[in-house]
Amino acid sequence: MNIQKSKHQTPAILGGERVRLLPFHKRKLMNKPQVDAVLKVMESESLSGFLGAVGPFFNGGIEVQTFEKLCQDFFGYKHAVTVNSWTSGLQACVGAVGIEPGDEVICSPYTMSASATCALFYGGIPVFADVEKETGCLDPESVRSCITPRTKAIIVVHIFGYPANMSALIKIADDNGLKIIEDAAQAPMTRFEGKLVGGLRDVGGFSLNFHKHIHTGEGGIIVTNNDELAERCRYIRNHGENVIEQFAYPEPFGLIGGNYRLTELQAALGSSLINTLPASIEKRNRNAALLDKLFAGIHGITPQKITHPQSVHSYYCYPMLYDEQAIGLPRALFVKAVCAELPPAENWETVPLIGGYVKPLYWSDLYQKRLGIGKQQFPFNLAVNGDELYQKGSCPVVESLYLKDQMLSMLTLEVNGEQEMQDFYNACEKVIHHADIIRTALPTEMNNTQVTLSHDAINKIGKHE
Ligand SMILES: *Cc1c(COP(=O)(O)O)cnc(C)c1O
């Protein structure tokens, strides 16, 4: 074996050569049509068309209304209501479905914080159900076990673009008279049994923030087939309290509005981008299929599988299950060793691999200390059996995904292709092949695959970067 080759074979984390030197591609969403669309609005001087008063512009300007029409057709829902962020959209949905102080809302603990805090704004109490290990989405059985006479709604998250088990969740909602809000922030064009997710039961929607499939800087889209819910969302979006009287709105509840309005600039940008989604989803699926095939032979790394018929992933990122016994390395060390084989990430979209997603939501101080609003800690002070809520260990699957079972890669994004998938796989394969060498290079107290290493401990290993 020549020197070059043996050097190549030393794991990069121990000083060897990287598998890939060329940086991964960054996305470029803002092209000529996007610049032209925004410039046209600039030149019109009409950057927002909303008026918080009775009249034709209560529902936004020309660009907002055009974009909403496009979204209705694109996602196949009767109504699309744009908002200035999906966080605002979630709050509007919670208000629209009529959550009241003390109502319990079943949430996923494995998601961005807003998927649960949205309930608190109307006095709803988030109750966390566990998720399925394979999908990261709410486990219908766990949801069922969380239901009490106070439960009013379920907030379903199609996390990472995987379609949650909507038929089982809708059955539970039907059986118990609950509403369903779908958080499809990471799942535009995700399909459950042939249908695009978002408003499959009541109401839900998508995020247009900088990190999502398409973006308008910030923004969101609510979708629903329900006239009344759409109407309430429109009131909540635009200072509804000002116009209730003139519009002769029938019931007074849940209608204290905000300013959740999208600008004309963002709407024009959204209109110019929406038709890029199908190609993006197709490319992400092609990349994912390449990785699925490559990892099929690896015992210890298991990509997500879609099990429902005619259902489609939208691959916000590429999730994998990790088995540290099979691979022979603690997950944090595996991730560090794989990243060492690849060019350093320059931003979120070039991150080759991370271990786990966000901390289970109920671990945060908001829930552990019931911070809520004011000294009375509203609305946690209204919780019945409040002491039983938010106990560590209460959702074991999510805790284990976070601590050791799951890894995510951003590399299936549409800008990458066959070469990038192969390089990523080669990096993983090389680390797996050298797992023993990497492990024995560690101080003995870390040499136990059972130990989940802290980030500090991992940072002390290897002198890479
Ligand atoms: C991004 C995201 C949100 C929040 O969307 P914003 O538009 O950033 O407010 C909510 N839920 C999930 C799952 C998300 O990924």
Side-chain angles (χ1 to χ4, degrees):
M1 199 185 291
N2 65 39
I3 291 166
Q4 197 55 42
K5 185 131 190 239
S6 66
K7 190 177 172 218
H8 178 71
Q9 288 186 339
T10 303
I13 194 173
L14 301 178
E17 273 181 22
R18 293 178 197 270
V19 163
R20 178 187 168 106
L21 297 172
L22 202 63
F24 289 110
H25 303 289
K26 288 191 205 145
R27 302 204 293 168
K28 183 158 177 18
L29 260 64
M30 299 302 140
N31 298 298
K32 182 134 194 323
Q34 285 66 48
V35 173
D36 289 349
V38 171
L39 270 181
K40 200 179 117 205
V41 177
M42 296 286 286
E43 283 160 4
S44 79
E45 296 278 339
S46 177
L47 305 196
S48 173
F50 274 102
L51 276 180
V54 175
F57 292 109
F58 182 74
N59 290 325
I62 290 160
E63 296 294 342
V64 162
Q65 297 197 24
T66 302
F67 182 41
E68 291 183 350
K69 179 78 182 57
L70 276 174
C71 290
Q72 286 162 24
D73 295 343
F74 188 88
F75 293 108
Y77 285 100
K78 192 169 170 197
H79 302 278
V81 181
T82 56
V83 276
N84 59 1
S85 76
W86 177 233
T87 301
S88 308
L90 281 165
Q91 287 173 24
C93 290
V94 167
V97 303
I99 297 303
E100 296 183 31
D103 287 348
E104 293 176 5
V105 178
I106 297 176
C107 300
S108 166
Y110 206 46
T111 176
M112 193 252 159
S113 61
S115 320
T117 48
C118 59
L120 295 168
F121 283 84
Y122 285 85
I125 318 261
V127 172
F128 293 100
D130 211 345
V131 303
E132 302 167 322
K133 183 173 175 183
E134 291 71 24
T135 72
C137 298
L138 279 177
D139 177 348
E141 280 321 300
S142 179
V143 168
R144 210 181 266 283
S145 73
C146 290
I147 292 172
T148 74
R150 297 169 297 281
T151 309
K152 290 287 160 58
I154 309 169
I155 300 176
V156 178
V157 185
H158 303 290
I159 198 74
F160 313 132
Y162 193 99
N165 187 345
M166 289 306 290
S167 51
L169 292 164
I170 287 173
K171 173 87 171 57
I172 292 170
D174 289 345
D175 291 348
N176 295 279
L178 310 179
K179 301 286 187 198
I180 290 185
I181 295 169
E182 278 174 78
D183 180 346
Q186 303 181 0
M189 296 200 75
T190 286
R191 285 177 191 273
F192 183 79
E193 296 181 353
K195 297 199 196 98
L196 292 175
V197 301
L200 290 179
R201 174 86 159 12
D202 298 298
V203 65
F206 312 98
S207 169
L208 294 171
N209 94 10
F210 182 63
H211 299 286
K212 302 295 160 54
H213 289 68
I214 58 167
H215 78 85
T216 58
E218 305 285 354
I221 310 163
I222 299 166
V223 290
T224 179
N225 285 326
N226 183 311
D227 298 345
E228 205 176 316
L229 291 177
E231 205 51 28
R232 287 194 199 159
C233 287
R234 292 191 187 102
Y235 280 108
I236 291 169
R237 167 175 69 178
N238 191 11
H239 310 290
E241 68 281 357
N242 277 327
V243 294
I244 295 176
E245 221 180 299
Q246 294 99 310
F247 276 130
Y249 192 79
E251 32 179 346
F253 88 97
L255 278 181
I256 297 174
N259 176 349
Y260 298 166
R261 310 179 306 203
L262 199 67
T263 66
E264 292 286 274
L265 293 165
Q266 292 166 305
L269 186 52
S271 295
S272 78
L273 282 167
I274 190 118
N275 288 317
T276 67
L277 262 176
S280 156
I281 302 295
E282 198 195 315
K283 188 75 191 290
R284 288 170 190 237
N285 269 278
R286 227 183 304 153
N287 285 338
L290 287 169
L291 289 185
D292 288 353
K293 215 158 132 195
L294 289 165
F295 281 107
I298 300 285
H299 175 56
I301 294 181
T302 314
Q304 275 187 345
K305 263 204 273 311
I306 298 271
T307 48
H308 280 269
Q310 294 177 291
S311 298
V312 181
H313 208 306
S314 56
Y315 290 106
Y316 174 70
C317 60
Y318 184 78
M320 292 158 273
L321 289 177
Y322 181 76
D323 179 342
E324 77 180 23
Q325 295 304 319
I327 301 292
L329 289 172
R331 183 185 67 182
L333 184 53
F334 179 82
V335 168
K336 189 172 165 84
V338 169
C339 289
E341 298 291 344
L342 297 167
E346 290 171 45
N347 57 14
W348 70 276
E349 52 192 63
T350 51
V351 173
L353 192 62
I354 53 171
Y357 188 48
V358 294
K359 207 164 66 167
L361 292 186
Y362 58 89
W363 286 11
S364 75
D365 277 357
L366 171 63
Y367 299 103
Q368 289 299 311
K369 298 185 178 161
R370 276 93 167 146
L371 297 178
I373 297 168
K375 289 195 192 69
Q376 295 186 3
Q377 301 173 294
F378 176 86
F380 295 111
N381 58 336
L382 303 179
V384 177
N385 300 330
D387 293 345
E388 287 167 27
L389 291 172
Y390 317 132
Q391 284 177 12
K392 293 203 178 170
S394 58
C395 298
V397 176
V398 97
E399 295 187 4
S400 190
L401 283 176
Y402 170 67
L403 290 174
K404 63 189 187 61
D405 293 339
Q406 193 173 54
M407 301 190 299
L408 307 170
S409 172
M410 297 311 300
L411 297 180
T412 47
L413 290 190
E414 60 279 359
V415 276
N416 293 318
E418 212 165 315
Q419 184 65 54
E420 287 72 28
M421 297 309 103
Q422 188 66 53
D423 289 346
F424 172 65
Y425 172 77
N426 289 350
C428 293
E429 196 192 36
K430 183 177 167 191
V431 170
I432 292 167
H433 190 73
H434 291 92
D436 287 346
I437 298 169
I438 294 171
R439 200 176 52 245
T440 47
L442 296 177
T444 44
E445 74 271 18
M446 294 179 187
N447 199 353
N448 178 347
T449 57
Q450 300 277 16
V451 178
T452 300
L453 298 177
S454 70
H455 286 293
D456 274 358
I458 292 297
N459 284 335
K460 289 189 189 110
I461 302 163
K463 289 282 167 278
H464 218 279
E465 282 153 12

